[in-house]
Amino acid sequence: MDTHNAAESESALKLFELENNVVPLTKSDEDVYCFDEDLQRQQLTAAPWKTDVNHFQKVEISSVALVKMVMHARSGGDIEVMGLMLGKVVGNTMLVLDAFALPVEGSETRVNAQSESYEYMTQYLERSQASGQKEPVIGWYHSHPGYGCWLSGIDVATQMLNQQFQDPFLAVVIDPKRTMSAGKVDLGAFRTFPEEHTQSNNNTGADGFQSVPLSKIEDFGVHSDKYYPLEVSYFKSALDQRLMERLWRKHWVNTLAQSPLITNSEFTTQMINEIAEKINMFSRETKKGVS
């Protein structure tokens, strides 16, 4: 990478961290990376999330895990991709310390792991543990290219199974198209309720509105009361910073450096078409009501 590109890449990294409010850890906070097996065992034994369905309220994601997930989602284009996250729980917070991609592709709201993915996952975890990484799998992530961060019916069923058999477990959804268009990561973190639990609908955006494409509205509406969102924040350690710089230099040009003019044009056209479709549908329904 020449001097000009290196400077451009460095500026882009700083802007990315600023836009997403990536908070540096102090030296005293960096023990977040120290995995205490006894403490984790105690938490798993107590398992307060089994009696309180809303126990987990926050998710803190390391900058390295964040960039890995965003780059993977971006590389999928219009295809949904999937991966797993490693981390731990501290009180009512789920900490995501690392992430890795799975060889899985889907379309629309249909992304499922196949047998080769499970084999890959097992081998990756074995290598990670052999290298000294003790954090277990704490959740899964997948992409929704262009249609927002929420859980489809299949996503809800998948997350319910994960929480039933390997809790504590988290579901993260990333929209790479909205991320590229806004310059800020569009990411949602969710947990599902038990099947017998009833919950009022609370899964709109922060402004009380969730933008969902017309073709996905039915799937969104049917399942939106079966899960809840967690507050998400991002952090980085001194080690994260060094790893981030390497990741960024290696992958930035091919994934996150696309001109925003191109991305915004594609995304804006898509959104305008969606709005026009919704207006037409509303007009038709209104005319039916009048007649």
Side-chain angles (χ1 to χ4, degrees):
M1 184 180 290
D2 60 36
T3 305
H4 173 73
N5 286 338
E8 188 178 358
S9 174
E10 183 179 352
S11 297
L13 174 56
K14 289 180 179 178
L15 181 60
F16 177 86
E17 293 179 340
L18 182 64
E19 289 283 352
N20 293 285
N21 194 28
V22 179
V23 179
L25 293 178
T26 63
K27 287 186 178 180
S28 59
D29 290 331
E30 293 205 5
D31 60 357
V32 68
Y33 283 98
C34 299
F35 187 76
D36 188 327
E37 292 187 54
D38 291 333
L39 178 60
Q40 290 298 303
R41 195 177 298 112
Q42 290 172 16
Q43 290 184 317
L44 289 174
T45 301
W49 50 86
K50 290 185 178 180
T51 54
D52 180 5
V53 296
N54 293 289
H55 174 73
F56 291 111
Q57 293 294 317
K58 299 179 180 179
V59 179
E60 296 181 5
I61 302 176
S62 78
S63 57
V64 168
L66 176 65
V67 167
K68 282 184 177 181
M69 291 189 288
V70 171
M71 288 181 172
H72 182 210
R74 176 73 184 117
S75 68
D78 292 329
I79 303 298
E80 285 193 19
V81 298
M82 173 182 166
L84 293 177
M85 302 176 292
L86 305 178
K88 61 181 182 179
V89 297
V90 178
N92 69 346
T93 301
M94 306 185 82
L95 293 172
V96 177
L97 304 178
D98 201 1
F100 64 95
L102 287 177
V104 179
E105 290 184 350
S107 60
E108 296 297 306
T109 47
R110 304 291 183 265
V111 56
N112 286 301
Q114 305 298 325
S115 57
E116 61 267 23
S117 301
Y118 290 114
E119 182 179 351
Y120 176 88
M121 176 179 67
T122 301
Q123 292 175 352
Y124 183 94
L125 292 173
E126 286 175 351
R127 290 196 300 269
S128 296
Q129 291 168 359
S131 67
Q133 189 169 30
K134 298 180 180 179
E135 289 81 13
V137 172
I138 198 174
W140 68 299
Y141 71 88
H142 71 287
S143 61
H144 276 185
Y147 41 95
C149 299
W150 48 282
L151 298 184
S152 69
I154 284 184
D155 298 339
V156 167
T158 300
Q159 179 61 17
M160 280 184 172
L161 279 175
N162 286 328
Q163 287 183 210
Q164 182 178 353
F165 293 107
Q166 48 187 341
D167 224 11
F169 214 80
L170 175 70
V172 162
V173 182
I174 303 168
D175 187 333
K177 290 195 173 184
R178 296 188 183 190
T179 293
M180 297 304 298
S181 178
K184 182 178 181 181
V185 176
D186 190 6
L187 179 150
F190 309 99
R191 296 253 312 160
T192 52
F193 297 115
E195 286 192 45
E196 66 278 6
H197 182 79
T198 56
Q199 180 79 10
S200 60
N201 192 317
N202 66 343
N203 292 321
T204 54
D207 58 357
F209 176 76
Q210 169 75 348
S211 176
V212 179
L214 198 59
S215 59
K216 309 288 192 301
I217 282 179
E218 185 176 350
D219 200 20
F220 171 80
V222 168
H223 306 285
S224 60
D225 61 346
K226 295 181 181 178
Y227 60 92
Y228 71 98
L230 285 73
E231 179 186 335
V232 181
S233 60
Y234 310 112
F235 67 89
K236 66 175 181 178
S237 66
L239 177 59
D240 281 335
Q241 184 63 36
R242 293 193 291 271
L243 291 173
M244 277 278 286
E245 289 170 357
R246 291 184 181 181
L247 276 172
W248 199 266
R249 284 196 300 267
K250 183 176 181 182
H251 299 288
W252 176 74
V253 172
N254 294 325
T255 54
L256 299 177
Q258 179 172 320
S259 168
L261 292 176
I262 298 173
T263 309
N264 287 343
S265 174
E266 293 174 351
F267 183 69
T268 302
T269 301
Q270 176 187 336
M271 292 301 292
I272 289 173
N273 289 336
E274 284 289 339
I275 292 170
E277 225 178 315
K278 289 177 182 178
I279 291 172
N280 289 334
M281 184 182 72
F282 179 75
S283 297
R284 289 194 297 271
E285 294 297 324
T286 303
K287 288 178 181 178
K288 285 181 182 178
V290 172
S291 59

